[in-house]
Amino acid sequence: MLKLTKKADYGLMALKFLAEHPERPALSAKDVADAYGIPAQLLAKILQQLTRSGLLRSTAGMNGGYALAREARSISAYEVILAIDGPFFITSCTKGKTGCELTTNCTIKEPLARVNETIAGVLKSISIQDLAEHEPPAARERNARELVALKL
Amino acid sequence: MLKLTKKADYGLMALKFLAEHPERPALSAKDVADAYGIPAQLLAKILQQLTRSGLLRSTAGMNGGYALAREARSISAYEVILAIDGPFFITSCTKGKTGCELTTNCTIKEPLARVNETIAGVLKSISIQDLAEHEPPAARERNARELVALKL
DNA sequence: TATTCGATGCTCAAGCTGACCAAAAAAGCG
DNA sequence: CGCTTTTTTGGTCAGCTTGAGCATCGAATA
């Protein structure tokens, strides 16, 4: 449980792949799919979604494909997951502003909401560039600082 | 996405409820279900699972029911979720020791695995007692320390 | 013995995954 | 200039896994 969907996984892989090949002006969905052995049709749809969200820039036609719309350093894993799977919440009943309509005290939400913020904070502190590099020491320190700053 | 199941939610609610009523020797599944308005049959199954995992102690027969097997302070949210939903992993392909069989470099797993550890650490640092108390300031500090100790 | 409660198995619905197909767009070539 | 190729875009649909919920049987105590 608590795992993110395959779509989000594929999306992160694709962005990582794009970040690793900055020399290419654009990579097609098929290129990425072949590189990782993931279903091409599904990946195409994911990339479209990321394009609509403004994370990617698409070029149709020959030698077209997808490219990062921004710097790899400035795109966080949080944005990617958010664009693909929508807003996530730890608690299953945190929908909109209505909150939990369970009768009396659903007080477990309050501590879990803080867990939710923590996860979001961690994901925000991880950039696509961090994924492209292996074992990024800079990211570690940044994450630790970020977490403390969250005042969890 | 990334939300824990209703079962885990219900389980946490039930344990919280039990922790809030230490004067009662045992509370039936129906009592808890009525208190929160959750399906009784489903909750019963969850409580049975928690009993098998050793988190609860059950008493059959009249005036029977469930009680915490240990102190509320010593039961973490992590244990509850683990008992109900099994081991969770952020990455969808982290199954067993085989790891990711996707062709070449599935290097996004490594940073995400660290996120996974962080989440587990946060959940481990939250006890049932913390859920029962509202706005626990002690838990906050403990969490922050725990996170830094994780060396994320 | 009878009531209360826990344990087990089963069915239904929903979301996710993955694939197929057709259409539009843009670049290259004759 | 028009045709072809490559690639994005959009829609639809079947298969499957998983979770949610229900009904029934079994066990223990008064």
Side-chain angles (χ1 to χ4, degrees), chain A residues 18-111:
Chain A
L18 292 177
E20 284 174 341
H21 298 274
E23 73 281 3
R24 302 282 300 273
L27 286 166
S28 75
K30 191 172 180 302
D31 291 338
V32 182
D34 289 348
Y36 287 109
I38 56 186
Q41 308 282 356
L42 181 57
L43 182 69
K45 205 153 284 189
I46 296 168
L47 295 180
Q48 290 165 24
Q49 209 162 354
L50 291 174
T51 304
R52 278 194 296 272
S53 302
L55 294 177
L56 291 180
R57 203 167 288 280
S58 66
T59 318
M62 294 178 90
N63 297 330
Y66 296 94
L68 296 179
R70 287 184 276 144
E71 250 188 292
R73 170 68 56 193
S74 73
I75 300 178
S76 69
Y78 177 84
E79 290 180 89
V80 179
I81 298 173
L82 192 72
I84 293 176
D85 284 333
F88 56 80
F89 295 104
I90 282 288
T91 58
S92 17
C93 70
T94 315
K95 41 185 167 186
K97 53 189 168 188
T98 63
C100 187
E101 69 280 352
L102 284 184
T103 47
T104 48
N105 40 358
C106 196
T107 19
I108 67 165
K109 304 306 164 203
E110 188 245 337

Side-chain angles (χ1 to χ4, degrees), chain A residues 118 122 147, chain B residues 113-123 147 150 152:
Chain A
T118 306
V122 176
L147 287 173
Chain B
R114 214 169 300 135
V115 175
N116 199 55
E117 289 172 22
T118 306
I119 299 172
V122 175
L123 291 176
L147 288 173
L150 278 175
L152 176 81

